[in-house]
Amino acid sequence: MIPMLLPLAAAPAGVDLAAAYRMATPGLAEWLTILPVAWCLLAGAVLTALRGGLNWHAPIAIAALAGLVLLDALLLAHVAASGPVTMMMGRWLPPFGIAFTVDMTGALFALTAAVVAFLVSFQSLGDIDAGRRRYGFYPFLMLLMAGVSGAFLTGDLFNLYVWFEVLLISSFGLLVLGSEKAQLDGTVKYGFLNLVATTLFLVAVGLLYGALGTLNMADIAAKLAVAPAGVPVMTLAALFLFAFAMKAAAFPMNFWLPAAYHTPNTVVSALFAGLLTKVGIYALIRTGVMLMPHATERLALPIGLLALATMLVGSFGALAQDNLRRLFGYIVIAGIGAILAGVAVGGAEGLAGALLYALHSMLVMAALYAVAGLARTYAGSERLTTLSGLWTARPLFAGLSLMLFLSAAGLPPFSGLWPKVMLIKAALETGWWWLAVGLVVMGLLTTLALGRVFLLAYWRPDEGKAPQPTAPVGGARITLGVVAVMTVLTLGFGLYPQPVISAAQQAAAGLLDPVAYQHSVFPTAAQEPGGGAGTGAGAGAGEATP
């Protein structure tokens, strides 16, 4: 039975609520489904109320993010042990009302996002000045994590849109903090493209609701599995694909990312690079693979071409850049192409590789933007034409940077190797040889781009012409520690990948065969094709635990 968030009122005469609901109070395991979002919103509210005590903002936010990591870790362990879990709000039975349904895919993304945000929050101790704190950096950060967590954990398509709006509103606030001319310019570009993508997403949601009468993801998957007549599935799939590809910065709408991500504070850049495009790619995978698999299979060739173009544009764009953060932005774009390649190839191996690459990219891309911030702190510049001598001046920083460059390029023994191997293997086994070639070329070009960074900024001798540091070097020690932790994580995953690979394979299997996901919402109706909604109170129940 579905646990309910709110206490039950007295039932109308003749209605047996026990046939549909679990009448006992939900246990801690069930509350874990919604606690990450509620926790972030509560922390953001507390920080907003304490706007007069700015000195408390950083410790409260860091403690809240540590709690978020713990909650998401417990949720992942619960889902791994018990399967997908569902929590309904109030007395509404699915498919009506607000549902939180968490499977391995959502739990993995939520935990990785929490870890990245927790680590980056330490970077903010030295990089976020009093002015940015006064204008709400930490409340915006917690609101951003509420939106990110909600997008990964929701089981309702309209509420996926709502959580997108929450994270977009907070990201606008974070992006414009400082009010510099470049920030305002980047915010306008970022805001306009995301507005277009969000409008397309909302149009697709409206068409889907008009065709099926439901927005519950489990119910949508069950109804579309029987190919109902009169439903424009291909049109819907194309709209969702275009909207989420735009949010993920895939070709040809990728130009907004390098134009925006280099403008804010480096802490904000690191957060955005690690999290925001991955929410878009998660939504694309969720809607395309789980909800509309047959339409996505028919769109495999266009998705493959989109993936190849995105990989090449990102790789060649990185080679052409002088600014570190713009260069790393193109590396993010190339990685989105690799993930799309896994979606195009399909199958358990291709999808697992795509999920694994996304998790790897969340950590490594955030670390690379932290590296750009440290380069600016140590040498006073982010431009390759002026950076030099960092290997001699900062050997520890240079060593950590080199390891992160190797990981981003997909070279051993770091985390970038394994998803690349899985994607190439899946592409070759399924006849997508040109996508396999594209992945190899992307790796080669990324290696050249990052090798160029290392040769110019680190290995080239310092002739005494470099700009002076623009920030106190002492404040960079914490950021250097954050980069070191991220490097250890990517190295540990590279040396001992099996647990994460197994989790990604389990997540891919759940997306390809969503019976367990549907069963968590409709325990009796999920046994029959198309038996999602409207089957009565007893059939509309869902389980949070076996």
Side-chain angles (χ1 to χ4, degrees):
M1 301 295 178
I2 294 181
M4 292 202 311
L5 179 58
L6 300 177
L8 285 169
V15 176
D16 181 14
L17 291 181
Y21 293 110
R22 178 186 296 178
M23 305 302 289
T25 302
L28 176 60
E30 287 81 16
W31 282 101
L32 286 172
T33 310
I34 61 165
L35 271 179
V37 176
W39 178 261
C40 292
L41 291 174
L42 176 62
V46 169
L47 290 169
T48 302
L50 291 175
R51 57 186 177 274
L54 296 180
N55 292 335
W56 288 98
H57 277 207
I60 290 175
I62 291 173
L65 290 170
L68 180 63
V69 172
L70 177 61
L71 291 173
D72 284 329
L74 292 173
L75 178 59
L76 176 62
H78 179 55
V79 171
S82 305
V85 293
T86 294
M87 172 75 81
M88 294 298 299
M89 308 295 158
R91 299 178 62 186
W92 293 97
L93 285 172
F96 310 106
I98 299 173
F100 274 66
T101 302
V102 188
D103 60 358
M104 278 295 292
T105 303
L108 278 172
F109 273 78
L111 177 58
T112 307
V115 170
V116 169
F118 174 64
L119 293 174
V120 171
S121 68
F122 284 96
Q123 183 184 346
S124 71
L125 294 174
D127 288 354
I128 299 300
D129 56 28
R132 287 180 170 84
R133 296 187 188 202
R134 186 178 302 111
Y135 285 105
F137 170 81
Y138 289 105
F140 277 133
L141 171 59
M142 296 312 303
L143 184 63
L144 177 76
M145 291 311 299
V148 170
S149 299
F152 290 148
L153 304 180
T154 186
D156 180 274
L157 205 55
F158 180 77
N159 282 285
L160 176 62
Y161 161 78
V162 170
W163 293 119
F164 259 115
E165 291 301 294
V166 171
L167 71 90
L168 284 175
I169 291 170
S170 54
S171 66
F172 294 153
L174 289 170
L175 192 59
V176 81
L177 281 181
S179 301
E180 298 175 1
K181 182 178 179 180
Q183 288 180 278
L184 296 174
D185 180 68
T187 303
V188 169
K189 295 172 182 175
Y190 173 82
F192 177 76
L193 266 295
N194 275 279
L195 176 63
V196 173
T198 300
T199 302
L200 289 174
F201 179 22
L202 191 58
V203 168
V205 168
L207 288 174
L208 183 63
Y209 183 73
L212 296 180
T214 181
L215 291 173
N216 183 280
M217 292 187 192
D219 200 27
I220 293 170
K223 288 184 172 179
L224 290 181
V226 297
V231 178
V233 180
M234 290 300 298
T235 301
L236 291 168
L239 279 172
F240 281 122
L241 172 63
F242 191 74
F244 294 136
M246 187 183 299
K247 287 181 175 292
F251 179 84
M253 308 303 292
N254 56 273
F255 55 84
W256 64 264
L257 190 151
Y261 278 19
H262 75 288
T263 59
N265 183 277
T266 52
V267 179
V268 177
S269 292
L271 277 171
F272 284 15
L275 304 184
L276 295 194
T277 55
K278 307 312 178 298
V279 179
I281 207 69
Y282 165 85
L284 188 152
I285 292 173
R286 176 70 71 186
T287 55
V289 176
M290 193 183 86
L291 302 189
M292 292 174 278
H294 301 300
T296 302
E297 185 176 349
R298 293 173 63 185
L299 289 171
L301 180 58
I303 295 173
L305 294 172
L306 184 69
L308 182 62
T310 305
M311 287 189 287
L312 295 179
V313 166
S315 302
F316 280 113
L319 278 171
Q321 297 306 307
D322 176 54
N323 181 281
L324 278 182
R325 280 195 282 175
R326 285 183 64 90
L327 188 153
F328 294 151
Y330 279 100
I331 300 294
V332 173
I333 292 169
I336 294 299
I339 298 169
L340 287 173
V343 176
V345 171
E349 189 76 4
L351 187 57
L355 296 175
L356 200 63
Y357 198 102
L359 300 176
H360 144 80
S361 181
M362 291 170 77
L363 179 68
V364 174
M365 291 303 109
L368 287 182
Y369 274 81
V371 164
L374 280 173
R376 185 177 183 85
T377 298
Y378 289 143
S381 174
E382 294 179 0
R383 306 189 74 87
L384 295 180
T385 51
T386 54
L387 285 170
S388 61
L390 286 173
W391 179 266
T392 303
R394 303 285 173 180
L396 176 58
F397 169 58
L400 294 173
S401 300
L402 178 60
M403 288 189 280
L404 288 170
F405 292 168
L406 293 174
S407 182
L411 297 175
F414 301 97
S415 62
L417 171 68
W418 301 109
K420 193 77 67 70
V421 168
M422 293 172 67
L423 289 171
I424 292 173
K425 179 174 178 288
L428 291 175
E429 289 179 347
T430 53
W432 294 76
W433 61 268
W434 51 275
L435 264 186
V437 172
L439 287 161
V440 172
V441 171
M442 183 198 82
L444 175 62
L445 294 176
T446 302
T447 303
L448 291 175
L450 295 174
R452 173 172 168 264
V453 171
F454 193 80
L455 287 175
L456 294 178
Y458 294 82
W459 198 256
R460 181 173 55 179
D462 184 4
E463 299 177 353
K465 299 178 181 179
Q468 294 301 309
T470 57
V473 174
R477 293 173 182 167
I478 297 175
T479 303
L480 185 63
V482 170
V483 171
V485 172
M486 290 179 170
T487 305
V488 169
L489 289 175
T490 187
L491 177 60
F493 170 45
L495 294 174
Y496 186 52
Q498 192 53 48
V500 186
I501 291 177
S502 298
Q505 290 172 335
Q506 184 179 346
L511 290 171
L512 292 170
D513 184 12
V515 170
Y517 188 97
Q518 296 169 18
H519 184 74
S520 74
V521 183
F522 305 107
T524 55
Q527 306 302 319
E528 300 177 3
T535 53
E543 293 183 338
T545 55

